[in-house]
Amino acid sequence: MKALRIKVFQKAAMKHPFARFEKNLYLRGALSLLFAILVFFLPKLFQLSVIWVFAAYAFVEAILSIQAAFHLQAFYRRWWILLLDGFASLLVALLFISFPQMAIWSLYVVLVVWVMLKSLSCVDWGMKLAHFVKQGKDLIILGFLGLLIALLMALQPETGLQLLISMVGIAAFIWGVALLLLAVKIHQFEQKIIQALLPRTKKMSKGKGKKK
């Protein structure tokens, strides 16, 4: 009888949103760990997948921009800018697919420049805020650290690229483990609720039996 009650509660628990969320967490955690393993053991495949995803995005963006240009031709004077934007995106997609190795390094250069600009901006804002708040000095320090990282990435591109890929893999691994641990915690919480409710159902069933 106890086993039957447990099964009933388990079926009820499976329909609860918590249970669906638990399955979602298990799936996402497993996918994150799989992604991390692929990044660590097949870095070249990871690089190619990034290029293909970006190329697919650029291709879709190109089609949409060209379509929008022709639709707005009668209403928008500078419709040709959208058309040029579309053809430029299409050219980028074709170049990325045709020359993936060059595409990887071009993305790396863009990333280094982006880190450098963000760091300079951080230093600039820090110097402005330093006169008013203490956190301004923290921003200056972070900005200089960012500039140092950008400089190291520029001077050692091979090492920088490998480090960047490793960081992505580590982040994915940590995220996957965290999701799986959260799923286990939710499962344990559900089991505690089931065990806590079992004595109550026993008392309720005994009470009904006495009334009869």
Side-chain angles (χ1 to χ4, degrees):
M1 195 68 183
K2 185 180 178 182
L4 183 63
R5 287 198 193 99
I6 291 170
K7 283 182 180 180
V8 170
F9 277 116
Q10 282 176 342
K11 284 181 180 179
M14 289 299 287
K15 292 178 182 179
H16 197 274
F18 255 143
R20 293 173 189 172
F21 185 56
E22 180 192 329
K23 287 180 181 178
N24 178 282
L25 288 172
Y26 275 123
L27 182 61
R28 286 165 61 194
L31 285 173
S32 294
L33 288 178
L34 180 63
F35 177 73
I37 290 164
L38 287 172
V39 170
F40 283 126
F41 293 102
L42 298 168
K44 295 290 182 185
L45 182 63
F46 168 70
Q47 291 176 23
L48 285 173
S49 65
V50 170
I51 294 305
W52 277 96
V53 167
F54 189 84
Y57 161 75
F59 181 77
V60 172
E61 178 68 21
I63 298 299
L64 292 173
S65 293
I66 292 167
Q67 186 185 23
F70 283 115
H71 279 303
L72 295 171
Q73 191 175 1
F75 312 101
Y76 185 48
R77 285 183 181 180
R78 297 186 184 87
W79 64 272
W80 53 272
I81 296 175
L82 274 173
L83 190 66
L84 285 176
D85 179 37
F87 281 121
S89 296
L90 188 62
L91 181 64
V92 167
L94 291 172
L95 284 172
F96 269 47
I97 292 168
S98 304
F99 306 102
Q101 199 62 34
M102 185 184 75
I104 289 164
W105 287 113
S106 65
L107 282 175
Y108 183 77
V109 169
V110 169
L111 181 66
V112 171
V113 172
W114 178 76
V115 170
M116 198 172 289
L117 290 173
K118 283 286 182 185
S119 301
L120 285 169
S121 176
C122 202
V123 171
D124 182 52
W125 273 102
M127 289 174 74
K128 287 176 183 177
L129 292 170
H131 300 290
F132 307 103
V133 290
K134 292 180 180 179
Q135 283 76 11
K137 292 179 181 179
D138 297 336
L139 280 175
I140 294 170
I141 293 166
L142 285 171
F144 278 116
L145 281 172
L147 284 171
L148 181 62
I149 290 166
L151 185 64
L152 290 171
M153 287 172 75
L155 293 173
Q156 298 289 334
E158 289 282 349
T159 308
L161 185 62
Q162 290 300 321
L163 183 64
L164 191 65
I165 292 167
S166 299
M167 284 171 68
V168 171
I170 291 165
F173 181 80
I174 292 169
W175 181 243
V177 170
L179 288 174
L180 290 174
L181 287 173
L182 183 58
V184 170
K185 289 286 183 185
I186 289 172
H187 180 74
Q188 289 174 350
F189 179 68
E190 287 174 353
Q191 293 301 313
K192 283 180 181 178
I193 290 172
I194 290 167
Q195 293 299 325
L197 288 172
L198 274 172
R200 293 184 185 180
T201 53
K202 283 182 181 178
K203 288 178 181 178
M204 287 173 68
S205 60
K206 285 179 181 179
K208 288 178 181 178
K210 287 178 180 178
K211 286 179 181 179
K212 288 179 181 178

